[in-house]
Amino acid sequence: VSKPPARPVADKALAKLAPDFSRRKIRDLITQGSVFMDGARIQVASRMVHTGQELSFRDVPAPVVAPNAEAESWILYRGVDMVVVNKPAGIPVVPTRSEALTCLTHVLKNALGSEIHPVHRIDRPASGLVMLALNPAAMARLSKRLMAGQVMKGYAVRTVGAWEGVHHLDTRLADPKGKQQEARTSVRGHATEGRTDCLVRLHTGRLHQIRRHLALAGHPVEGDDVYGPGIKAFPPAKDLRLHAAFLDFGEGPLFTPPLWDWRTGVADA
């Protein structure tokens, strides 16, 4: 923005930069989370803009948001101030640059009419159990339990190649800034027909830890097109075979691993 308008707000500044877009279109882009100021998403049309700040946007199709009834069907447990949901594969837990209105937290906020705070996350292409708080106090309480190792999480995973037995993986993993961090993963596998169905437990929580550790061990998760290609004739798969199936957070019911049918995507308790 070299010379802001008389009233330097985001929608008017963008209207000047993109004269082919109507004010309504610009406001829709802001609401969808497709407008960024200095790289950070803005969602308020009246956000002040100052000389030297950078405005950018992505013109994306209007998102298809899950209906409230569908979102409510994802809820497996609702306590006084928290919920546990079965997240479908393919949607992020928190907003991304292109998916602000279709992320899990936004959809649940609309369905429940409540603020939503994710206590932990699973990858966008993964499915399964996610715990979310309904207010900041619950978020602080549950996060404290998680950091203290009082929340147990487990995953049903299908990997490439036969990999029978129990394995403990402890290769250090780099964070996004390149700093090496301790990472520990336990795997119990049962091999059949050149692939292995595993129950996996995390002892630390690093970015893509399961996917990275299993790929480094030579047995990437089926459907992992980020860490899998090039390893053991990595086969194509429609979906990532990683499901958060076990959760014990000490306050509600114990969620145990189901028998997961990867062919149909159906869990048979």
Side-chain angles (χ1 to χ4, degrees):
V1 179
S2 58
K3 186 177 180 181
R7 183 169 177 258
V9 293
D11 61 340
K12 287 189 175 183
L14 271 180
K16 184 178 180 180
L17 294 173
D20 293 338
F21 282 40
S22 68
R23 286 284 294 281
R24 177 174 291 277
K25 172 67 173 178
I26 289 171
R27 288 181 176 178
D28 286 344
L29 288 173
I30 293 173
T31 301
Q32 292 171 19
S34 298
V35 176
F36 302 85
M37 181 185 297
D38 293 335
R41 176 181 289 109
I42 62 172
Q43 292 183 280
V44 179
S46 59
R47 177 74 174 270
M48 298 293 290
V49 181
H50 302 286
T51 301
Q53 290 188 300
E54 180 182 32
L55 280 175
S56 60
F57 65 91
R58 292 184 178 184
D59 184 16
V60 296
V64 178
V65 181
N68 287 351
E70 180 183 353
E72 289 175 1
S73 73
W74 303 341
I75 300 173
L76 303 180
Y77 170 77
R78 180 166 185 175
V80 174
D81 55 8
M82 57 85 63
V83 294
V84 174
V85 304
N86 183 23
K87 184 189 86 69
I91 66 172
V93 172
V94 297
T96 66
R97 288 182 69 92
S98 60
E99 296 172 291
L101 299 185
T102 56
C103 70
L104 182 66
T105 51
H106 187 87
V107 171
L108 287 176
K109 179 180 178 180
N110 285 344
L112 300 178
S114 170
E115 55 183 306
I116 299 290
H117 304 271
V119 179
H120 63 103
R121 308 178 190 181
I122 59 177
D123 296 342
R124 181 187 185 280
S127 61
L129 303 172
V130 180
M131 180 167 53
L132 305 108
L134 301 181
N135 58 56
M139 171 68 172
R141 184 185 77 251
L142 294 169
S143 295
K144 184 177 181 180
R145 294 182 65 86
L146 185 67
M147 294 298 292
Q150 298 171 346
V151 176
M152 186 179 296
K153 299 180 291 180
Y155 303 81
V157 181
R158 172 166 285 179
T159 67
V160 176
W163 207 35
E164 195 77 31
V166 176
H167 308 272
H168 300 288
L169 311 176
D170 59 4
T171 303
R172 295 174 70 86
L173 300 173
D175 68 10
K177 295 183 178 180
K179 181 181 179 181
Q180 294 292 324
Q181 296 179 306
E182 178 188 16
R184 293 179 291 116
T185 306
S186 297
V187 183
R188 180 185 296 275
H190 175 66
T192 177
E193 298 180 354
R195 57 186 57 172
T196 304
D197 288 326
C198 305
L199 292 179
V200 178
R201 182 182 174 191
L202 292 177
H203 303 283
T204 53
R206 308 306 178 201
L207 179 67
H208 297 172
Q209 179 174 320
I210 292 176
R211 297 162 63 184
R212 294 165 73 186
H213 261 173
L214 293 179
L216 288 170
H219 297 276
V221 180
E222 277 196 4
D224 189 346
D225 58 5
V226 175
Y227 300 103
I231 300 177
K232 293 194 172 184
F234 182 72
K238 181 180 179 181
D239 300 308
L240 184 72
R241 307 310 201 213
L242 195 161
H243 179 76
F246 179 95
L247 180 64
D248 181 6
F249 55 96
E251 297 184 15
L254 173 68
F255 295 92
T256 56
L259 177 62
W260 189 257
D261 189 339
W262 294 114
R263 294 167 300 177
T264 62
V266 172
D268 180 12

